[in-house]
Amino acid sequence: MKTCDEMVNSLLERRERYAAGQKRKRLIITCTVTPMCCICLVALMGFGMWQAGMFHTTPSGKTAENALYPGRKDKFVESELEFQEQELCRLEKENSAANNKIVVNNKRIVHEICIEDSICLFDDDFVVMDKAELNEYYGINIFPTVPDDIKEWEEQQFGIYRRNGGTGEVYWDGTVSNYFNSDEDFPRTVNIEIKKDSLPLYHHILFEEADEKSVINNVEVAIAHSDNGYYYTQFMYHNVGFQIIAGGLSQDEFVAVIESLIQ
């Protein structure tokens, strides 16, 4: 079986051969069609001069550079190249995932409330945002893919705090999203805290320093597992800090949640 790098190289070679083949086809068509066009052009010129006594000219329109036929886009070529681009992206993702290294530290998890600064959050400063607006603010997707049986809390409201009644500078952008399934004997839950430019600092759950970090899609991720069955992780991704705590999930499910955020 070919390695991912061999598959990528093979795909690139196929793409180059395909492009060269299309160039030869255009050349053959051009050489074949041009003499016929000249004959038709002479006939049309004679007919036009007989009709109006002068040549009629019309501006030429733009044509696609890779078109097999002048004045017409080659849809097959475009779709084929687009397909190859998608294949390259897919292979790159698979290659990245194949290099993942998962290390789960069995550590004692310590529950603490951490407060870096005394911050008073005023209701009038809260700016409500929907998911699309919040993703735009953070610059990445902050909402994970969770197992199908775990649902998002319906009461959640998202947003940030801006001074002067929501019109000034941002002074707090910590966001929390919760997902749960209470139908199980042991509740299956996912809690995610997000903050821009730093790790979340409120409702913080600390664990002893990880002996070794995981690597997921080329991002270092600290993962810990407690005696009572909870998984915990912290990581920075595109200048956004994530903290995730999950209960009742398998290791593979927890890693999949992380992978859905690190694309």
Side-chain angles (χ1 to χ4, degrees), residues 213-224:
K213 290 186 177 181
S214 299
V215 177
I216 298 178
N217 295 341
N218 299 321
V219 176
E220 282 195 343
V221 178
I223 301 177

Side-chain angles (χ1 to χ4, degrees), residues 8 138 160 166 183 195 237 244:
V8 171
Y138 283 103
I160 59 177
D183 296 334
K195 195 174 187 304
Y237 180 58
I244 307 175

Side-chain angles (χ1 to χ4, degrees), residues 113-254:
I113 300 294
C114 292
I115 301 177
E116 183 182 36
D117 298 303
S118 296
I119 299 175
C120 186
L121 304 178
F122 295 97
D123 290 341
D124 291 343
D125 293 341
F126 186 66
V127 179
V128 177
M129 291 183 171
D130 59 25
K131 289 184 177 181
E133 291 170 332
L134 210 55
N135 282 340
E136 183 177 359
Y137 171 78
Y138 283 103
I140 58 172
N141 171 54
I142 64 168
F143 297 97
T145 300
V146 298
D148 292 339
D149 65 305
I150 300 177
K151 306 303 179 184
E152 182 179 342
W153 282 12
E154 295 180 356
E155 307 84 41
Q156 294 181 118
Q157 189 176 49
F158 304 112
I160 59 177
Y161 287 84
R162 292 182 177 273
R163 301 190 188 282
N164 302 323
T167 61
E169 65 175 343
V170 176
Y171 67 92
W172 186 256
D173 61 12
T175 298
V176 180
S177 58
N178 291 287
Y179 307 81
F180 77 109
N181 179 356
S182 59
D183 296 334
E184 303 289 336
D185 293 336
F186 183 79
R188 285 160 57 81
T189 62
V190 177
N191 169 271
I192 300 182
E193 299 181 11
I194 308 103
K195 195 174 187 304
K196 201 170 188 178
D197 298 325
S198 68
L199 291 170
L201 295 172
Y202 61 103
H203 297 145
H204 204 64
I205 298 183
L206 305 173
F207 67 97
E208 295 173 344
E209 185 66 24
D211 297 328
E212 188 177 0
K213 290 186 177 181
S214 299
V215 177
I216 298 178
N217 295 341
N218 299 321
V219 176
E220 282 195 343
V221 178
I223 301 177
H225 184 252
S226 68
D227 294 337
N228 58 1
Y230 281 88
Y231 281 98
Y232 167 74
T233 185
Q234 270 191 342
F235 59 91
M236 293 290 300
Y237 180 58
H238 287 299
N239 295 321
V240 178
F242 288 85
Q243 175 179 282
I244 307 175
I245 307 128
L249 272 66
S250 67
Q251 178 178 312
D252 288 343
E253 287 177 322
F254 188 65

